[in-house]
Amino acid sequence: MTAPSRPGFSSYGSSAQGPAYPRTRLRRNRYDAWQRDMVAEHQLTVSDMIWPVFILDGENQVEAIDAMPGINRYSVDRLVDAVAEARDLGIPAVALFPVTPPDLRSEDGREAYNPDSLACRATRALKEQLPDIGVICDVALDPFTTHGHDGVMDENARILNDETIEILCKQAVAQAQAGVDIIAPSDMMDGRIGAIRDALDAAALSHVRIMSYAAKYASCFYGPFRAALQSDGYLKGDKKTYQMDPANSDEAIRETALDIAEGADMVMVKPGLPYLDVIRRVKDEFAMPTFAYQVSGEYAMLKAASQNGWLDNDRAVLESLLCFKRAGADGVLTYAAVEAAKMLKAG
């Protein structure tokens, strides 16, 4: 039975969505704040967030990053204090990204698998003093090479896939032995997930998880990150021969399927907001723990707009993070984790 017509109103027939207007008025469930919360389809919580943190050598060092307002580089001693605050806010894990001095960079990135590297020392410090915080470390060579690429190169500047994987396996084992909980390969070499899984298992580290950067795009949104790592002057050429083309979505499904088959425990899409469609496809296709990385360029845009008065910072930050949950992400790596956690705690 259709709703009775009224003067000035159009009447539509019933459907699978329920009775038609005017009997059904979807605005009713938006009338009160408590009602909106009750019927919300998705919810953002502090436990959904991972905080990426930049670390540097030295003692008692906290350096502001111009390209990322509110974000700092920390020496290991100050890192522990910063992560303790994050843990107390309920943030479950941090992802560490080391600044490598020029004298430790090389063509083959050998510092990546130094058991006393900055990342390994920071991991040990966190695990000794804050054992209940999860530690994630990036596996790739770009912070350690003189050419700024994620792999080793031949004389023709071509990235060598299999030779790179051998180094990545050493890096993953060194980090895991230092206490890293989750290894996160971001290099985009073919076959690296299976090789790293085998290397970890052979080293009696089968409990260490792998979060694969399964769909990582050759994006312009990484610029502030490279500045944060003081790597922006190193990169020769671009990374389009191994990172994905932003035009491709089906390819992301193939990349993710391969990483899962090779032993990834969870998968990631990077960047985040420009690729919500890819997050949705990956989650629907595989029903795997799926993460998104709200990268440095996304963070910087939000901050620039809010500093100019064009956006409300708090609302924009929380809305952007909620969008990841709606798209299907189980968690988000975001530089805004600490400030977002404070907002959520404040209600």
Side-chain angles (χ1 to χ4, degrees), residues 52-276:
V53 190
F54 299 104
I55 51 177
L56 77 167
D57 258 321
E59 294 182 359
N60 197 31
Q61 298 292 310
V62 178
E63 293 181 355
I65 300 169
D66 292 341
M68 301 177 67
I71 302 301
N72 301 308
R73 306 178 190 92
Y74 299 95
S75 56
V76 173
D77 55 332
R78 299 296 296 274
L79 169 73
V80 172
D81 295 336
V83 174
E85 179 190 12
R87 179 207 56 185
D88 292 345
L89 287 167
I91 294 171
V94 295
L96 303 180
F97 294 94
V99 176
T100 305
D103 62 318
L104 292 179
R105 287 177 175 263
S106 61
E107 284 291 311
D108 61 0
R110 68 181 71 94
E111 179 66 14
Y113 55 88
N114 176 2
D116 200 37
S117 69
L118 177 58
C120 289
R121 284 185 280 120
T123 297
R124 286 193 291 268
L126 288 175
K127 283 302 177 182
E128 287 169 4
Q129 300 185 55
L130 303 169
D132 54 341
I133 193 78
V135 177
I136 301 168
C137 269
D138 178 68
V139 170
L141 301 187
D142 53 323
F144 310 100
T145 58
T146 50
H147 47 72
H149 280 281
D150 296 56
V152 293
M153 297 195 302
D154 65 12
E155 63 276 8
N156 297 309
R158 290 179 297 197
I159 305 300
L160 301 174
N161 191 91
D162 296 359
E163 292 83 347
T164 296
I165 289 176
E166 293 180 14
I167 301 172
L168 299 177
C169 288
K170 295 179 182 178
Q171 182 183 13
V173 169
Q175 292 176 348
Q177 288 174 335
V180 167
D181 300 291
I182 299 176
I183 296 296
S186 67
D187 58 287
M188 290 299 286
M189 298 297 113
D190 291 331
R192 89 274 200 215
I193 300 301
I196 290 171
R197 183 73 273 162
D198 289 344
L200 292 171
D201 291 351
L205 295 163
S206 60
H207 63 285
V208 176
R209 287 129 282 176
I210 297 177
M211 176 189 286
S212 165
Y213 285 63
K216 182 179 179 181
Y217 287 84
S219 171
C220 69
F221 288 98
Y222 305 144
F225 175 89
R226 291 173 186 154
L229 287 184
Q230 300 175 345
S231 294
D232 44 351
Y234 286 96
L235 183 62
K236 297 176 174 62
D238 57 48
K239 301 188 178 187
K240 294 180 180 179
T241 65
Y242 49 98
Q243 293 180 357
M244 287 181 55
D245 186 338
N248 296 348
S249 174
D250 291 343
E251 184 184 18
I253 302 303
R254 295 185 67 192
E255 287 277 11
T256 305
L258 288 168
D259 286 0
I260 293 170
E262 290 175 24
D265 301 289
M266 54 202 90
V267 295
M268 184 201 300
V269 175
K270 180 182 180 182
L273 285 177
Y275 296 87
L276 292 178

